[in-house]
């Protein structure tokens, strides 16, 4: 029946996203003690048939620090998008039956945040602020020490995405396996960014949740 089909689709989606849990392992090899130079030819994540996809030529116009910052932004947005996709699906799947917020949250996922009580917003703001502060300390040069013409400068020995967070020990020691893992993270993150944007657009169009849309 329809309910069984939706459940199977939902389970398959979650399993696929769990398979990309390596996205939260450090995105590159361990930090080096010398300055790391970045060039588009050296970046992982370019696979057939598209190859290195940069139709607007951003990489051609970027110097090494800027290209490094682009990769940091791509990894970060990809990771957030993967969490968002899981949040959309899980949030809508358990609405009305979750122990959180007395099971009072309902409707499309894009409306869920507006329904949570104010204390949750305070905790969410603190959590995001602490995470961003930690990321800034690890990866960025102190603004007081950065050149005026280079705002947002990343540290020379910082590898984009490598925050030292790998609680499951997913990061392989073999360089080739690490490159494969990095590529998977980037590809899953890119797909998740498109998916999250699609989810939001669809729910804004007809006011129905993603799972409800799948039910037809």
């Amino acid at each position: 029946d329809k309910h069984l089909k939706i459940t199977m689709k939902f389970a398959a989606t979650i399993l696929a996203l769990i398979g990309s849990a390596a996205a939260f392992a450090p995105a590159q090899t361990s930090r080096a003690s010398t300055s790391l130079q970045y060039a588009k030819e050296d970046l992982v994540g370019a696979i057939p048939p598209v190859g290195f996809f940069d139709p607007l030529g951003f990489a051609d116009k970027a110097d090494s620090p800027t290209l490094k910052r682009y990769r940091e932004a791509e990894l970060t947005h990809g990771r957030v998008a993967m969490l968002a996709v899981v949040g959309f699906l899980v949030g809508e799947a358990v609405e009305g039956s979750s122990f959180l917020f007395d099971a009072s949250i309902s409707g499309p996922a894009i409306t869920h945040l507006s329904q949570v009580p104010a204390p949750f917003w305070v905790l969410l703001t603190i959590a995001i602020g602490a995470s961003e502060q930690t990321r800034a300390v690890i990866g960025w040069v102190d603004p007081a020490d950065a050149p005026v013409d280079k705002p947002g400068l990343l540290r020379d020995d910082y590898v984009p995405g490598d925050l030292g967070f790998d609680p499951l020990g997913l990061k392989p020691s073999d360089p080739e396996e690490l490159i494969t893992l990095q590529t998977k993270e980037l590809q899953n993150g890119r797909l998740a960014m498109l998916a999250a944007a699609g989810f939001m657009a669809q729910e804004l169009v007809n006011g129905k949740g993603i799972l409800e849309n799948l039910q037809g």
Side-chain angles (χ1 to χ4, degrees):
D1 60 7
K2 287 186 177 181
H3 179 72
L4 178 59
K5 289 181 179 179
I6 294 301
T7 302
M8 292 177 67
K9 288 180 180 179
F10 175 71
T13 303
I14 293 300
L15 288 173
L17 289 167
I18 290 174
S20 66
F24 300 96
Q28 298 281 357
T29 55
S30 59
R31 300 176 189 173
S33 58
T34 58
S35 176
L36 298 174
Q37 296 300 312
Y38 269 73
K40 69 176 187 178
E41 296 81 8
D42 302 326
L43 294 176
V44 300
I47 61 175
V50 178
F52 189 84
F53 184 73
D54 183 23
L56 299 181
F58 287 115
D60 293 329
K61 305 169 188 175
D63 56 14
S64 179
T66 302
L67 194 59
K68 186 176 180 179
R69 193 165 62 248
Y70 286 167
R71 176 45 54 93
E72 172 71 18
E74 180 178 22
L75 282 164
T76 301
H77 284 96
R79 289 168 177 176
V80 171
M82 285 187 277
L83 288 173
V85 168
V86 173
F88 262 90
L89 299 176
V90 172
E92 292 183 4
V94 303
E95 68 177 34
S97 60
S98 171
F99 65 91
L100 295 172
F101 311 117
D102 294 324
S104 61
I105 309 300
S106 62
I110 57 173
T111 68
H112 286 186
L113 276 178
S114 64
Q115 300 177 54
V116 299
F120 177 81
W121 281 97
V122 175
L123 294 175
L124 181 64
T125 301
I126 292 174
I128 293 175
S131 298
E132 287 300 291
Q133 172 67 18
T134 300
R135 194 166 72 94
V137 169
I138 293 174
W140 272 260
V141 174
D142 190 311
D145 300 326
V148 176
D149 60 340
K150 292 183 178 181
L153 185 66
L154 291 170
R155 298 181 185 277
D156 284 342
D157 61 350
Y158 173 67
V159 178
D162 187 354
L163 302 176
F165 181 73
D166 185 21
L168 299 179
L170 298 175
K171 180 181 177 181
S173 56
D174 181 75
E176 291 300 320
E177 291 181 6
L178 181 59
I179 290 175
T180 299
L181 194 65
Q182 292 168 1
T183 301
K184 288 179 179 179
E185 173 181 17
L186 285 163
Q187 295 297 88
N188 281 299
R190 291 162 179 167
L191 178 60
M193 285 188 275
L194 292 173
F199 285 2
M200 288 185 282
Q202 181 61 55
E203 293 193 354
L204 285 170
V205 167
N206 62 8
K208 296 181 180 179
I210 294 303
L211 297 182
E212 187 179 357
N213 276 293
L214 287 175
Q215 289 176 333

